[in-house]
C-alpha cells in the first residue's frame, strides 16, 4: 500500500484523475472499476474536462461499478446508474453498452450477483479499481463484518451508511435498506486500486484503514492485502496518520511519481471548478437523452 497526501482536495482529485487518464491512454481498452459518492463527483468532472480539452478517449474503455441500490430502477434519480450517466458516461465518448452496474431491480438477485461476477471475469477482470470510503470504512457497500473473501452479493445497509446517504434522498425513509455490492474479495482481485478520501470527517477512518489491524469490521483495512493499492488523500483526510512524514517523503522521492509531482497546468480548472461548470451542461445532456 502507498499513501499520497496532497495539500488540498483539488490536488488529490486532480492526481486521481491524472492516474486514471494515464492508464486509459496506455490501454484504451482499460477495464475500470468505478465508485460513486460525493467525493467521486469531482474526479468525474475532471475526467470529463480532460475528454473535452485534451481528447481523453473513452471509446474502447469498459467499466464496472462497485454497487447499486436494490429496488431503484436505472432512471431513478438516486440510482447509481443515474449518477454514473449524469456525472460521466453521458459526458464522454464511452459506449454505454460497455458500462456495467448490478441491476438492483433484478427478479433474481442471487443470479444477478453471480452474473455480475461472470461478466467481470469475461472482460478479463478489473485493471484499475477506483474506491471511496464510507464513514464506517466500507468499500462499495461492504458493511461491518463483510467477509474479507466475499464476492458480489446483497448486503443490508448499516444505520451509519443509511444516515450518511440521507442528504442525497428526498426523505430519510426513502434511503434503501439493501444494495448489491462487489465483495471485498472481488475488489481485491483487481490488478490495481486507488482510494480517494478527502475532508476531516474521513481522517479517523482513514487512519484505521491504513495503520490499524486488518478486520472485517472495516472492509477498507483489507486493502493492506493488495499489492498495488494507492490511497490518495488531502491533508485533512490524512491528518490522523502517524507516519505521514514518511508517506510524504516517498511521494517526493519515488521515481514512479515523478510525472505526477508537478501540479497540473494553471489553465486546467480544478475538479471542483470543473464540476460546477459541467453541472449546467450535464443537465442539458440528460434532457437530450431523455427526450
Ligand atoms: C457510498 C458508496 C461507497 C462510497 C461512499 C462514500 O456509500 N457505496 O462506494 O465510497 O458512498 O461517499 P462520499 O464520497 O459521499 O463520502
Amino acid at each position: 500500500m502507498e499513501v499520497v497526501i496532497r495539500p488540498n482536495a483539488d490536488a488529490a482529485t486532480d492526481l486521481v484523475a491524472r492516474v486514471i487518464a494515464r492508464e486509459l491512454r496506455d490501454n484504451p481498452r482499460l477495464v475500470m472499476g468505478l465508485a460513486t459518492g460525493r467525493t467521486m463527483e469531482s474526479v468525474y468532472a475532471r475526467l470529463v474536462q480532460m475528454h473535452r480539452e485534451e481528447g481523453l478517449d473513452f471509446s474502447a474503455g469498459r467499466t464496472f461499478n462497485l454497487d447499486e441500490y436494490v429496488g431503484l430502477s436505472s432512471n431513478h434519480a438516486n440510482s447509481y446508474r443515474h449518477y454514473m450517466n449524469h456525472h460521466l458516461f453521458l459526458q464522454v465518448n464511452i459506449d454505454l453498452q460497455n458500462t456495467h452496474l448490478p441491476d438492483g431491480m433484478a427478479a433474481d438477485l442471487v443470479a444477478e450477483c453471480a452474473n455480475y461476477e461472470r461478466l467481470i471475469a469475461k472482460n478479463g477482470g478489473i485493471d484499475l479499481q477506483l474506491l471511496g470510503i464510507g464513514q464506517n470504512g466500507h468499500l462499495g457497500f461492504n458493511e461491518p463484518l463483510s467477509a474479507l473473501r466475499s464476492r458480489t452479493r446483497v448486503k443490508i445497509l448499516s444505520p451509519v451508511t443509511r444516515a450518511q446517504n440521507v442528504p442525497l434522498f428526498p426523505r430519510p425513509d426513502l434511503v434503501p435498506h439493501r444494495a448489491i455490492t462487489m465483495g471485498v474479495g472481488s475488489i481485491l482481485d483487481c490488478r490495481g486500486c486507488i482510494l480517494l478520501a478527502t475532508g476531516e470527517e474521513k481522517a479517523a477512518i482513514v487512519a484505521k484503514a491504513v495503520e490499524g489491524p486488518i478486520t472485517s469490521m472495516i472492509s477498507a483495512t483489507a486493502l493492506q492485502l493488495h499489492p498495488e493499492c494507492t490511497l490518495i488523500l488531502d491533508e485533512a483526510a490524512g491528518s490522523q496518520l502517524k507516519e505521514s512524514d514518511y508517506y510524504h517523503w516517498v511521494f517526493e522521492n519515488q521515481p514512479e511519481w515523478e510525472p505526477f509531482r508537478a501540479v497540473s497546468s494553471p489553465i486546467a480548472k480544478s475538479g471542483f471548478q470543473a464540476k460546477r461548470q459541467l453541472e449546467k451542461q450535464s443537465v442539458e445532456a440528460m434532457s437530450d437523452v431523455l427526450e
Side-chain angles (χ1 to χ4, degrees):
M1 180 186 275
E2 218 173 328
V3 176
V4 175
I5 304 171
R6 304 307 286 145
N8 53 50
D10 246 358
T13 300
D14 183 61
L15 179 58
V16 171
R18 285 196 292 151
V19 171
I20 297 169
R22 196 255 325 253
E23 296 293 315
L24 188 58
R25 287 187 178 110
D26 286 355
N27 173 15
R29 283 180 50 76
L30 192 72
V31 179
M32 291 167 270
L34 299 178
T36 49
R38 281 153 285 202
T39 315
M40 294 303 144
E41 291 178 16
S42 302
V43 175
Y44 298 138
R46 185 75 182 95
L47 288 172
V48 171
Q49 185 192 20
M50 286 173 175
H51 167 69
R52 292 188 181 159
E53 295 177 7
E54 302 163 25
L56 183 63
D57 182 14
F58 289 81
S59 60
R62 293 164 287 165
T63 69
F64 287 89
N65 266 76
L66 284 168
D67 45 18
E68 179 61 281
Y69 290 112
V70 169
L72 300 194
S73 65
S74 56
N75 55 11
H76 189 289
N78 286 111
S79 73
Y80 283 162
R81 163 55 79 178
H82 184 274
Y83 170 109
M84 290 308 305
N85 284 350
H86 177 75
H87 290 290
L88 184 67
F89 298 153
L90 297 179
Q91 317 286 338
V92 297
N93 62 336
I94 200 159
D95 181 345
L96 276 181
Q97 292 198 340
N98 291 335
T99 67
H100 307 280
L101 287 94
D103 178 2
M105 295 292 280
D108 184 342
L109 292 170
V110 174
E112 172 62 14
C113 295
N115 276 339
Y116 201 64
E117 289 272 343
R118 266 195 294 275
L119 201 55
I120 293 173
K122 204 173 141 202
N123 277 269
I126 291 171
D127 294 310
L128 182 64
Q129 177 69 56
L130 181 59
L131 296 163
I133 184 168
Q135 254 145 33
N136 62 0
H138 71 202
L139 301 177
F141 276 128
N142 287 286
E143 300 291 51
L145 294 186
S146 287
L148 300 181
R149 297 173 67 179
S150 50
R151 312 302 306 185
T152 303
R153 70 222 184 285
V154 174
K155 282 298 284 182
I156 311 257
L157 305 187
S158 70
V160 170
T161 297
R162 292 192 70 239
Q164 188 190 328
N165 285 299
V166 160
L168 305 172
F169 283 78
R171 284 199 335 255
D173 58 304
L174 295 178
V175 180
H177 284 271
R178 295 187 301 160
I180 295 180
T181 180
M182 277 168 57
V184 183
S186 332
I187 293 168
L188 291 180
D189 280 353
C190 67
R191 282 182 271 281
C193 56
I194 303 181
L195 184 148
L196 173 66
T198 57
E200 209 183 329
E201 64 280 7
K202 296 284 172 75
I205 197 67
V206 162
K208 285 183 185 166
V210 175
E211 295 175 341
I214 296 175
T215 167
S216 62
M217 283 298 287
I218 302 172
S219 61
T221 61
L223 296 175
Q224 295 173 28
L225 297 166
H226 198 289
E228 289 292 333
C229 174
T230 305
L231 268 82
I232 299 181
L233 313 171
D234 65 354
E235 282 287 353
S239 59
Q240 292 189 30
L241 291 168
K242 291 192 183 76
E243 299 292 338
S244 52
D245 289 349
Y246 169 63
Y247 310 143
H248 275 299
W249 196 92
V250 171
F251 182 71
E252 291 307 327
N253 292 279
Q254 189 105 307
E256 288 78 6
W257 285 114
E258 217 278 315
F260 295 102
R261 277 198 279 271
V263 288
S264 310
S265 109
I267 317 159
K269 290 169 202 73
S270 72
F272 294 117
Q273 282 174 308
K275 177 175 172 292
R276 274 194 292 276
Q277 203 174 59
L278 288 168
E279 265 161 10
K280 194 169 158 278
Q281 289 156 299
S282 38
V283 170
E284 285 161 12
M286 281 295 277
S287 318
D288 287 352
V289 166
L290 294 174
E291 267 165 24

